Amino acid sequence: MAFYDKWIPKEVKKPFKAIGKLSKKFLPKELRPWLPMASAFMPYTGIMGAMGGAGGFGKMYLTNLLAQQMADPDSEFDDLNQLSALLSGTQGGLMGTKTAGNLREMTARQGIMDEFAGLPGSGGQTMRDALANRSFWDKTKDLGLEGLASASDYLQGGAETLQDLGSGDLDLFSLAGAKEGLKAAAVPATHGMGDVAQAYAKPAIREFEKQEAADAAEIEATSTANEQEQADLTMKYYRQAGHDEETIQEALAINNLSDYYEPPIEEAAQGGIIGLKHGGMLNLGGNEMDYRGGGFVPIGKRERADDVPARLSKNEFVMTADAVKAAGGGSVNKGAQRMYNVMNQLEARA
């Protein structure tokens, strides 16, 4: 896109958008995606006038871009398939009646043959030696030009075949006519079908990207709220379980929630353990901490009390408190941090 922004002025792009709007307004949506197929066959019908050379290239290049825009009216100019347009332009540039001959006239081989054409026996061995002694670059150039000339012969022959089928000079319903028709239609049909497939796919891709962006925005909007809620629950239930503020801050740091730490409210400043000092199951008030991605469980009366409700999934593995302590050399918080590190390393390898 940056290339087009730099080299193609906005004044060139605007007409394409206007053409797209007209297509969207007047052409049935079921028909629009098939317009590139029609444009691929246009030079074979003769309605585009003389083809070949720079003029033929320009006609087909522009026709292809217009067909793409009309097939997908909501597409931006920068999203049009320039490779398809270049291939279409090349097709138009090779379809002149004299193009193949002109290309062959440019070869070093033809130059040597013309040089010896007036000699007795057309030069004989001397000409063959001259042809064999062409430089590497001359032979490479001749190979390329001859390839283009052969492609021109094929395309021009295809155009003549399709025109003969249209005029009735060649019977489409005969075996020979059907074979020649399929051969002639192979190039435009293949090229056109590629653009048709793209015209169907691009709106679906844009819709997917739009939905993906909306989902990402929603996740971004709610992630901070979810982190705040998790931090609030951690502080609440740590304090209910009687942990000091340093331990609470360490637990928040383990879960990357340090920024959400808040000192206890005034009413609890002089108090001791808030609730659960006589044991029992924790009442989460309908709230749940989200550990679907794994994590350290900071709440509960004591280790092995089995008083924290948990929802687990198949193939998950839960460590005991002793294992966590051992991993941290006696420190639960250090052990939890190490468990996190191990979990992240192993998940990265899964």
Side-chain angles (χ1 to χ4, degrees):
M1 290 186 181
F3 174 84
Y4 301 133
D5 290 340
K6 182 177 181 180
W7 297 105
I8 301 180
K10 294 180 180 179
E11 291 74 17
V12 174
K13 301 177 184 179
K14 285 182 179 179
F16 283 86
K17 201 63 179 177
I19 289 171
K21 290 180 179 179
L22 291 174
S23 173
K24 191 171 185 178
K25 183 175 182 180
F26 295 107
L27 294 179
K29 62 180 181 180
E30 295 81 8
L31 175 63
R32 289 197 297 262
W34 291 92
L35 291 175
M37 180 67 79
S39 71
F41 278 91
M42 286 180 66
Y44 293 82
T45 64
I47 64 175
M48 297 186 70
M51 302 298 290
F57 179 94
K59 288 179 183 179
M60 285 302 295
Y61 177 82
L62 183 60
T63 298
N64 181 274
L65 287 179
L66 290 173
Q68 287 188 56
Q69 185 69 72
M70 295 173 71
D72 183 19
D74 295 325
S75 181
E76 297 294 334
F77 179 86
D78 294 347
D79 295 326
L80 299 181
N81 189 338
Q82 292 292 326
L83 177 59
S84 176
L86 288 171
L87 289 173
S88 187
T90 302
Q91 178 184 344
L94 292 175
M95 288 189 65
T97 56
K98 298 181 180 180
T99 301
N102 292 337
L103 289 168
R104 291 190 174 99
E105 286 291 333
M106 297 167 60
T107 64
R109 176 187 179 85
Q110 187 62 46
I112 292 172
M113 294 175 66
D114 290 343
E115 182 179 345
F116 285 92
L119 298 178
S122 297
Q125 185 61 41
T126 305
M127 185 182 72
R128 288 192 291 272
D129 290 342
L131 290 173
N133 292 328
R134 285 173 297 162
S135 68
F136 171 80
W137 297 114
D138 279 341
K139 291 179 180 179
T140 302
K141 183 189 74 171
D142 288 358
L143 180 63
L145 290 171
E146 181 58 38
L148 291 173
S150 297
S152 178
D153 287 336
Y154 177 84
L155 293 171
Q156 185 59 30
E160 292 172 358
T161 297
L162 292 178
Q163 290 171 11
D164 288 343
L165 288 171
S167 65
D169 291 340
L170 185 62
D171 185 5
L172 176 62
F173 298 101
S174 67
L175 180 59
K179 285 183 177 180
E180 289 299 317
L182 289 173
K183 180 180 177 181
V187 171
T190 302
H191 188 180
M193 198 63 217
D195 286 341
V196 169
Q198 181 177 253
Y200 276 108
K202 285 168 65 177
I205 293 173
R206 283 198 301 271
E207 186 61 29
F208 171 79
E209 291 175 343
K210 180 180 178 181
Q211 185 60 48
E212 190 176 40
D215 291 342
E218 183 178 355
I219 292 172
E220 179 68 23
T222 58
S223 61
T224 301
N226 290 339
E227 289 178 352
Q228 180 68 63
E229 183 179 4
Q230 185 174 353
D232 290 343
L233 289 172
T234 299
M235 290 184 287
K236 175 181 177 180
Y237 297 123
Y238 256 58
R239 287 166 181 154
Q240 286 185 358
H243 294 291
D244 57 38
E245 293 303 305
E246 183 179 354
T247 302
I248 293 174
Q249 291 181 52
E250 290 179 359
L252 291 174
I254 290 173
N255 291 284
N256 296 319
L257 299 172
S258 297
D259 293 341
Y260 299 97
Y261 172 75
E262 294 179 1
I265 58 176
E266 186 65 28
E267 288 80 355
Q270 307 301 322
I273 298 176
I274 303 176
L276 294 184
K277 61 182 178 180
H278 299 298
M281 291 286 289
L282 283 171
N283 180 4
L284 303 184
N287 295 310
E288 294 180 359
M289 299 181 73
D290 187 354
Y291 286 102
R292 286 173 291 182
F296 175 61
V297 180
I299 62 177
K301 182 177 68 173
R302 64 177 184 275
E303 296 170 4
R304 298 189 179 180
D306 293 334
D307 58 346
V308 179
R311 293 186 182 184
L312 303 177
S313 301
K314 182 179 180 180
N315 295 335
E316 293 180 343
F317 189 90
V318 180
M319 290 285 186
T320 63
D322 287 342
V324 178
K325 282 183 180 178
S331 169
V332 172
N333 289 322
K334 290 181 179 179
Q337 185 61 62
R338 289 181 179 175
M339 292 290 188
Y340 271 118
N341 293 338
V342 171
M343 180 181 71
N344 292 334
Q345 291 171 5
L346 293 175
E347 284 184 343
R349 292 164 54 186

